[in-house]
Amino acid sequence: YSGTPRGAIYKGASNVVTNGATRVNSAGSYLSLDVTKSGKPVIVYFDSDNETLRIAYSTSAKPSMTDVDNGRDTFTRQTIPGVKGGTYVQAKIDQQNYLHIMYRDSDGQLCYIKSTNNPDGEKYEFKDPRMVIETSGTYGTLSLMNNNGTYVPCVAFLNSEGTANGVK
């Protein structure tokens, strides 16, 4: 690549998030990252200790991952209530800052949820009813289609893991 860099790579200590939900030992094997409209990072990840999805969000568009004085404590962890499972997670934030999440639940169903609020560096809220996309779907891709300011989730996923059963 040549030219002007268009992003940033953060490198620092692991487990630097100290605010919010308690840290767990088995997290991050499935994760997705996006940024809010103002550039604040939001990470959605699977907590295998508790079989649920969590979010780590930042109040800063330029968080430091190395020390408190430079923004380490700008990240906060939260658990998404009512979610069982969370493997193969994909997350997207629309231009209105709503968080859209697709994941595989503990029953092997491919599910979708959307936040009921649109914070920018604050806690996300969700209502429990999730949408089941497919009862046997596995990993896939989530995109958002802008339909005059309303964001419609579009998904493509493998129909059945470990087979040549095709993509839906």
Side-chain angles (χ1 to χ4, degrees), residues 1-134:
Y1 172 80
S2 63
T4 305
R6 303 202 190 279
I9 297 175
Y10 296 105
K11 182 180 178 194
S14 63
N15 300 320
V16 297
V17 180
T18 58
N19 297 323
T22 305
R23 186 177 77 84
V24 294
N25 292 323
S26 298
S29 57
Y30 298 95
L31 61 93
S32 186
L33 166 72
D34 205 354
V35 294
T36 65
K37 190 174 180 179
S38 67
K40 296 172 184 166
V42 176
I43 305 164
V44 181
Y45 61 96
F46 178 55
D47 166 1
S48 61
D49 282 355
N50 297 295
E51 287 284 318
T52 192
L53 279 176
R54 285 184 158 199
I55 299 171
Y57 60 88
S58 178
T59 57
S60 173
K62 296 180 180 180
S64 168
M65 299 300 287
T66 57
D67 66 83
V68 174
D69 292 339
N70 290 315
R72 182 180 94 186
D73 282 346
T74 63
F75 275 93
T76 300
R77 283 185 295 259
Q78 79 173 82
T79 299
I80 302 175
V83 171
K84 299 294 181 198
T87 58
Y88 304 116
V89 63
Q90 291 282 308
K92 299 286 182 189
I93 299 172
D94 67 32
Q95 287 298 304
Q96 297 172 344
N97 281 336
Y98 286 94
L99 178 58
H100 303 254
I101 304 170
M102 178 178 74
Y103 66 97
R104 185 176 180 186
D105 73 6
S106 57
D107 294 325
Q109 301 177 115
L110 195 61
C111 300
Y112 167 82
I113 57 173
K114 177 186 171 187
S115 65
T116 57
N117 66 337
N118 56 342
D120 190 13
E122 297 177 29
K123 184 177 181 178
Y124 284 94
E125 301 291 335
F126 297 88
K127 286 190 178 177
D128 188 28
R130 68 186 193 275
M131 176 187 293
V132 175
I133 299 169
E134 178 68 47

